[in-house]
Amino acid sequence: AQSVAQPEDQVNVAEGNPLTVKCTYSVSGNPYLFWYVQYPNRGLQFLLKYITGDNLVKGSYGFEAEFNKSQTSFHLKKPSALVSDSALYFCAAPDTGRRALTFGSGTRLQVQP
Amino acid sequence: EAQVTQNPRYLITVTGKKLTVTCSQNMNHEYMSWYRQDPGLGLRQIYYSMNVEVTDKGDVPEGYKVSRKEKRNFPLILESPSPNQTSLYFCASSPNNPKTQYFGPGTRLLVL
């Protein structure tokens, strides 16, 4: 079965510092991996996805994610955090057998001014 | 504007009183899905639909029904709501597969 895991419930970072939100995956075949962000009182918004090709994927709002096959990880990164980046972040992978997306449990990012 | 809309956004009801949460998308997407979001559990899929008149169960379908009579609409029906269905519900759509999904704003449901 396809699965993703987010080992941290919360990540705290100071504004201007680099941030990393972690995700590990367990999928068969070539992985498709996604990051979504949920701002307070909003639905989920697509940030970026990895399908194939470069291991560094660039997405919206200055975010990028690094695909690492040997570590089965897909960590979300940003060089300089903003207070407005504070939100709930979800890693996801499609379960092709069931035609669904499987989401991680989410990581709350708090960026302090 | 391309979007997924849900109504109502907030709903308080009592145990056993049937309710429907509507979902509509204007992007001509074939795939639609319902999720519930609970703290510490992420999003769990309730039902999905690959196309009109084609629906299937997700991870947590018990207590829910759906229908897909038109491509744009995918209502979620709770025939007899119970307090354990108190949650935040999201509808989502995708062009032709579940990979990149577009989410509605969410419906927060409280069942007393």
Side-chain angles (χ1 to χ4, degrees):
Chain A
Q2 321 284 63
S3 66
V4 290
Q6 296 179 242
E8 302 159 315
D9 290 336
Q10 181 156 325
V11 169
N12 298 310
V13 65
E15 188 174 30
N17 283 0
L19 69 88
T20 299
V21 182
K22 296 180 180 177
C23 172
T24 58
Y25 67 88
S26 173
V27 301
S28 56
N30 294 322
Y32 288 175
L33 298 163
F34 295 79
W35 277 101
Y36 284 83
V37 59
Q38 184 181 21
Y39 296 104
N41 300 314
R42 303 282 296 276
L44 277 74
Q45 296 179 33
F46 169 77
L47 267 183
L48 53 81
K49 66 182 176 184
Y50 172 83
I51 296 178
T52 187
D54 289 340
N55 290 340
L56 189 64
V57 180
K58 294 192 182 299
S60 306
Y61 312 122
F63 284 92
E64 57 191 24
E66 185 174 10
F67 173 74
N68 188 316
K69 189 172 184 178
S70 63
Q71 297 184 4
T72 61
S73 66
F74 188 56
H75 300 334
L76 182 69
K77 300 183 178 187
K78 189 173 182 181
S80 179
L82 300 172
V83 172
S84 58
D85 292 331
S86 298
L88 190 56
Y89 291 81
F90 291 96
C91 183
D95 182 338
T96 52
R98 252 197 323 109
R99 301 176 175 179
L101 270 183
T102 299
F103 286 85
S105 55
T107 299
R108 187 165 299 281
L109 173 66
Q110 293 277 14
V111 181
Q112 283 106 17
Chain B
E1 180 190 354
Q3 60 183 349
V4 178
T5 56
Q6 295 178 227
N7 282 292
R9 294 289 312 278
Y10 304 91
L11 180 59
I12 301 174
T13 189
V14 295
T15 298
K17 185 176 181 181
K18 180 180 178 179
L19 67 91
T20 299
V21 184
T22 64
C23 173
S24 183
Q25 51 93 4
N26 61 2
M27 296 170 279
N28 202 37
H29 286 170
E30 293 187 352
Y31 179 95
M32 297 186 75
S33 181
W34 276 103
Y35 295 88
R36 60 178 289 173
Q37 183 181 8
D38 301 289
L41 296 177
L43 276 78
R44 295 178 292 169
Q45 191 182 51
I46 303 170
Y47 270 94
Y48 66 95
S49 169
M50 297 298 291
N51 212 327
V52 175
E53 302 293 359
V54 180
T55 64
D56 207 348
K57 296 177 181 179
D59 290 318
V60 289
E62 293 76 22
Y64 304 95
K65 286 174 57 176
V66 293
S67 69
R68 187 91 184 273
K69 293 184 171 58
E70 310 162 278
K71 184 180 272 193
R72 64 183 292 126
N73 296 323
F74 191 44
L76 180 69
I77 303 157
L78 284 71
E79 294 270 3
S80 182
S82 62
N84 64 11
Q85 292 177 300
T86 291
S87 188
L88 179 57
Y89 291 87
F90 288 103
C91 181
S93 73
S94 180
N96 54 12
N97 59 55
K99 296 188 176 69
T100 302
Q101 295 190 33
Y102 299 82
F103 284 81
T107 295
R108 191 169 291 279
L109 173 65
L110 173 61
V111 183
L112 300 173

